[in-house]
Amino acid sequence: MNPSSPFAQTPEPPYYAVIFSSQRTPTDAGYEKMAERMVELAQEQAGFLGAESVRGAEGFGITVSYWSSTEAIAAWKANIEHAAAQEMGQRTWYAHYELRIAKVERAYGKPAA
Amino acid sequence: MNPSSPFAQTPEPPYYAVIFSSQRTPTDAGYEKMAERMVELAQEQAGFLGAESVRGAEGFGITVSYWSSTEAIAAWKANIEHAAAQEMGQRTWYAHYELRIAKVERAYGKPAA
């Protein structure tokens, strides 16, 4: 990962994307610290390829993380520290979220990779 | 679409997602007007299921649009008015963008659909 760029540097498809759309509650309760820790932890996971994330002024955000396989995604979901964060997310941090798991079939951009 | 919600109301998978990550240039040149028009135009396309979009204060944004098929995505890409906007995007509005086409295989959220 290039920490100065918000873009993920992903390999040629196929690979997987987890599209996480969320609306934050006004409750902080350690959210920022958890979010930073989850990025750090995700980067240590086998099969993690990168992530892109943005949240707007009204609290709606989209994070897309990229993974080599559905097995890698399942292992990340089951990670014990991540599971605790998911629990807090459901209870406290997110008023609404949607999570979609998708297989990236094609990719292109500017500038070309 | 529910215009008061930033969340797309998508059907049960499978369906397709176009994940568009972009870094805006400082150049306005009609960007906002075009962006609004593209949302309007996309909604008229056959196979359009919804979209979610957010841009942060530093100009990095993610838009995910959802489609019933790759044919619907190809028709949208080829739409003549959209093609003109893509051209302006490449030349003027985006310093960098990445576009990924992905097949959504699983989805869940809170509150449950």
Side-chain angles (χ1 to χ4, degrees), chain B residues 59-78:
Chain B
F60 180 73
I62 300 175
T63 295
V64 189
S65 58
Y66 300 101
W67 301 86
S68 60
S69 67
T70 54
E71 291 74 15
I73 294 169
W76 171 232
K77 182 171 162 57

Side-chain angles (χ1 to χ4, degrees), chain A:
Chain A
M1 304 239 308
N2 175 354
S4 70
S5 169
F7 291 93
Q9 287 170 8
T10 44
E12 285 296 301
Y15 52 88
Y16 284 83
V18 177
I19 306 165
F20 181 72
S21 313
S22 63
Q23 180 67 50
R24 282 276 283 118
T25 58
T27 311
D28 187 275
Y31 177 76
E32 288 301 333
K33 195 172 165 188
M34 176 285 297
E36 280 171 30
R37 174 63 186 148
M38 287 305 116
V39 170
E40 197 180 278
L41 195 60
Q43 288 173 8
E44 295 168 5
Q45 299 300 301
F48 177 76
L49 302 176
E52 298 174 340
S53 189
V54 57
R55 188 168 303 279
E58 295 177 12
F60 179 73
I62 300 175
T63 295
V64 189
S65 58
Y66 301 101
W67 301 87
S68 60
S69 67
T70 53
E71 290 75 16
I73 294 169
W76 171 232
K77 181 170 161 58
N79 174 286
I80 192 86
E81 196 175 338
H82 184 210
Q86 290 170 60
E87 177 70 19
M88 272 293 282
Q90 284 206 19
R91 284 185 192 229
T92 306
W93 290 317
Y94 300 122
H96 183 168
Y97 67 80
E98 300 293 338
L99 189 148
R100 296 173 173 96
I101 298 175
K103 184 179 188 176
V104 178
E105 298 180 346
R106 292 205 301 129
Y108 59 91
K110 165 207 166 182

Side-chain angles (χ1 to χ4, degrees), chain B residues 26-102:
Chain B
T27 311
D28 188 275
Y31 178 75
E32 288 302 331
K33 194 171 166 186
M34 174 285 295
E36 281 171 31
R37 173 63 185 147
M38 287 305 117
V39 170
E40 197 179 279
L41 195 60
Q43 289 173 7
E44 295 169 5
Q45 299 301 301
F48 178 76
L49 301 175
E52 298 174 339
S53 189
V54 58
R55 189 169 303 279
E58 295 177 13
F60 180 73
I62 300 175
T63 295
V64 189
S65 58
Y66 300 101
W67 301 86
S68 60
S69 67
T70 54
E71 291 74 15
I73 294 169
W76 171 232
K77 182 171 162 57
N79 175 285
I80 191 86
E81 195 175 339
H82 184 209
Q86 289 170 60
E87 177 70 19
M88 273 293 281
Q90 284 206 17
R91 284 185 192 229
T92 305
W93 290 317
Y94 300 120
H96 183 168
Y97 67 79
E98 300 293 339
L99 189 147
R100 295 174 173 96
I101 298 175

